[in-house]
Amino acid sequence: MTVTVEATDLGSAIDELEKRYPGFKDRLLDQQGQLRQFVNVYLNDEDVRLGAGLAAKVSDKDEISIVPAVAGGT
Amino acid sequence: MAKLLGLRCRECGAEYELQATHVCEMCFGPLDVVYDEAALKKKVSRERIEQGPSSMWRYRDLLPVEDDTPLVTLGEGFTPLVKADRLGAELGLRNLYLKNDSMNPTNSFKDRVVSVAISWARAHGFETIACASTGNLANAVAAYSARAGLECFVFIPVDLEPAKVVSISVFDPNVVAVRGNYDEVNRLCSQLLESTPWAFCNINIRPFYAEGSKTLTFETIEQLGWKLPDEIIIPIASGCQFVRHRQAIRELIDYGLVRDDRVPALTGAQALGCAPVYNAFKSDTPERVLPVKPNTIARSIAIGNPSDGIYVNRIVLETGGVVEAVTEDEIVAAMRLLARTEGIFTETAGGVTIGVLAKLARAGRWKGDEVVVAYVTGHGLKTADVLASVDGHARRVEIEPTLKSFREKVNI
């Protein structure tokens, strides 16, 4: 599913989602506030772990995808 | 009595009913199949296995299909385990064995996992089988879907090796060539799950699919006379099969199929051009596997964001193995070495495995009498182009059809 949020960076986008879907943030981030090992987040098709992580700046029309990491291969 | 009890999250232990799903709703952790182990302990025996078919389905009791599930099979598995005396002599190993999984119906290891996955999917009402693939999986999925009479969609990177595209297309699946690398193909398929009622072998039915990997290790141990080797060299892509090999050894011990309980060292092999697990292994934080952009001829294992990477390093450290990686030149050299010494033509991924074996042997990892097994997981014709582009005919001469010409040109 796709939703639209107002935010300036990835971390605040996740906070916005938490407001709308309480409990969302705990599923996505670990106790240290880092992305959980088994979730991949992409900012416009780039894996955020390869870039600025949760601090990545976002602006209008940017697309954030949240996808389970457990997939593929053998 | 059903032997399959459900699915369980490997991370948080949350339990789920048997269904086509692969990710824990609580923590995104991977789900594994839960068996009725007490019932299996009473049922499983060497004798029962040895009376089974000459395929991986002799281990049916330890696979996620019920006794009455019709199988989708092409006779996969029970591939040769060969003692490699000539390769061993070059590497100083007197007890080297190769599990030649290129002898499977579509010439790679993937037939094992796909036979399980499609058997499960057909029995659970799926009409379309799909996968995200670096080539070998798509090949197996296309063949087994044809065998089962099911609709098939395979998603591959657009620049896949030509030989692989031919051997996929002949089975007439829907081929979706994605302008991106494997990790991008995989992500697309994960996103597609929401809107398609398909069984994606390595995504939503991955818990069942992955279980097929265990048979490679079951067979190896049976073929060694139900004895555990000292070390096994395994190629790493997502790390999914690596994890299942550890599980296979646990089951062999738990069900009393082997008398020894000395777990072999499990060692991982990667290409330096795509070595996220190796990079993590060499770092101070082996359980922190950072994604990379793949750039290697070992395309079939070029996964830059390996889902099971952290488990691989955990198992490697637990069992006393290592993760090693080889250069592109070392991959090709290892393909030639294996062919020249043992008569086995493997693809680039096999070159990675044999390359790592050779590198570790030459670095003095073994004294010489250890029992070492290397898994050769795909056939050389799949990636023949990497040899065609280099000097592959050093000993070739061209002559006239006369004795004179032969005597002039050939020294015998």
Side-chain angles (χ1 to χ4, degrees), chain A residues 1 27 45 70 72-74, chain B residues 22 25 110 187 194 202 209:
Chain A
M1 64 184 264
R27 305 267 179 108
D45 296 341
V70 177
T74 34
Chain B
H22 63 304
E25 286 174 15
K110 296 290 185 185
R187 188 181 89 215
E194 202 175 61
N202 51 351
Y209 160 91

Side-chain angles (χ1 to χ4, degrees), chain B residues 63-337:
Chain B
L63 293 171
V65 292
E66 298 295 354
D67 288 351
D68 56 354
T69 302
L71 301 179
V72 181
T73 175
L74 289 163
E76 51 290 325
F78 220 55
T79 53
L81 180 77
V82 297
K83 188 155 190 282
D85 287 333
R86 279 173 42 79
L87 177 59
E90 295 227 3
L91 301 178
L93 287 168
R94 288 176 285 281
N95 293 297
L96 174 63
Y97 292 84
L98 305 170
K99 180 65 170 165
N100 186 4
D101 239 24
S102 66
M103 296 287 282
N104 273 308
T106 76
N107 305 108
S108 91
F109 154 83
K110 296 290 185 185
D111 294 326
R112 299 177 182 274
V113 282
V114 169
S115 180
V116 173
I118 299 187
S119 296
W120 189 90
R122 189 174 66 175
H124 289 77
F126 284 93
E127 291 169 358
T128 301
I129 308 297
C131 68
S133 175
T134 54
N136 288 339
L137 175 58
N139 194 341
V141 167
Y144 283 77
S145 296
R147 174 83 170 148
L150 296 171
E151 196 60 32
C152 178
F153 275 82
V154 301
F155 294 77
I156 55 173
V158 72
D159 60 348
L160 205 61
E161 297 98 325
K164 284 188 182 159
V165 176
V166 170
S167 58
I168 293 165
S169 301
V170 70
F171 300 109
D172 205 26
N174 299 283
V175 178
V176 184
V178 180
R179 294 192 195 103
N181 64 28
Y182 173 77
D183 295 291
E184 292 168 306
V185 175
N186 198 24
R187 188 181 89 215
L188 172 66
C189 289
S190 292
Q191 291 172 319
L192 265 172
L193 265 186
E194 202 175 61
S195 54
T196 60
W198 299 346
F200 280 86
C201 286
N202 51 351
I203 308 183
N204 55 335
I205 62 168
R206 195 173 193 258
F208 309 96
Y209 160 91
E211 284 287 282
S213 311
K214 295 188 302 189
T215 58
L216 180 49
T217 288
F218 291 153
E219 290 171 16
T220 298
I221 308 310
E222 181 183 349
Q223 289 165 319
L224 286 171
W226 298 108
K227 289 195 172 67
L228 294 167
D230 293 298
E231 186 150 355
I232 306 177
I233 320 290
I234 303 163
I236 302 170
S238 73
C240 180
Q241 67 149 307
F242 198 97
V243 173
R244 295 294 98 193
H245 295 316
R246 176 68 186 91
Q247 178 63 22
I249 290 161
R250 185 172 291 123
E251 290 177 15
L252 288 164
I253 294 170
D254 284 356
Y255 296 133
L257 294 168
V258 292
R259 302 232 160 78
D260 207 349
D261 61 359
R262 181 185 40 86
V263 175
L266 298 185
T267 279
Q270 292 210 292
L272 276 167
C274 181
V277 181
Y278 166 78
N279 295 342
F281 181 76
K282 289 285 175 187
S283 78
D284 296 334
T285 51
E287 294 203 10
R288 189 166 161 73
V289 178
L290 296 172
V292 300
K293 293 239 186 259
N295 181 21
T296 173
I297 53 171
R299 302 284 299 280
S300 60
I301 55 170
I303 297 183
N305 199 351
S307 51
D308 288 275
I310 68 159
Y311 296 116
V312 171
N313 280 338
R314 203 175 286 173
I315 291 165
V316 166
L317 293 170
E318 177 225 340
T319 62
V322 293
V323 182
E324 188 51 86
V326 285
T327 65
E328 305 289 281
D329 286 347
E330 287 172 323
I331 294 169
V332 174
M335 290 166 70
R336 291 185 178 289
L337 173 65

Side-chain angles (χ1 to χ4, degrees), chain B residues 310-391:
Chain B
I310 68 159
Y311 296 116
V312 171
N313 280 338
R314 203 175 286 173
I315 291 165
V316 166
L317 293 170
E318 177 225 340
T319 62
V322 293
V323 182
E324 188 51 86
V326 285
T327 65
E328 305 289 281
D329 286 347
E330 287 172 323
I331 294 169
V332 174
M335 290 166 70
R336 291 185 178 289
L337 173 65
L338 178 63
R340 176 169 63 73
T341 55
E342 296 297 340
I344 295 172
F345 184 22
T346 186
E347 66 162 330
T348 46
V352 170
T353 307
I354 299 301
V356 162
L357 169 76
K359 192 168 188 169
L360 292 172
R362 287 166 182 154
R365 178 164 175 78
W366 299 289
K367 293 194 185 78
D369 287 322
E370 296 89 341
V371 177
V372 177
V373 181
Y375 289 167
V376 175
T377 48
H379 197 282
L381 287 174
K382 289 169 175 284
T383 59
D385 48 318
V386 303
L387 296 179
S389 61
V390 294
D391 179 15

Side-chain angles (χ1 to χ4, degrees), chain A:
Chain A
M1 64 184 264
T2 306
V3 297
T4 305
V5 295
E6 295 273 337
T8 54
D9 59 34
L10 185 58
S12 58
I14 291 169
D15 288 336
E16 281 302 308
L17 285 166
E18 169 69 19
K19 282 183 199 158
R20 240 180 272 183
Y21 307 101
F24 184 87
K25 193 171 172 176
D26 272 355
R27 305 267 179 108
L28 213 59
L29 307 182
D30 62 21
Q31 285 168 347
Q32 284 77 44
Q34 296 297 308
L35 277 177
R36 283 185 185 273
Q37 178 75 39
F38 295 102
V39 63
N40 290 333
V41 177
Y42 302 91
L43 178 57
N44 298 324
D45 296 341
E46 277 298 315
D47 189 323
V48 298
R49 284 197 184 90
L50 293 171
L54 294 174
K57 296 290 171 209
V58 297
S59 55
D60 275 8
K61 303 211 171 77
D62 275 346
E63 199 173 282
I64 300 165
S65 309
I66 300 167
V67 185
V70 177
T74 34

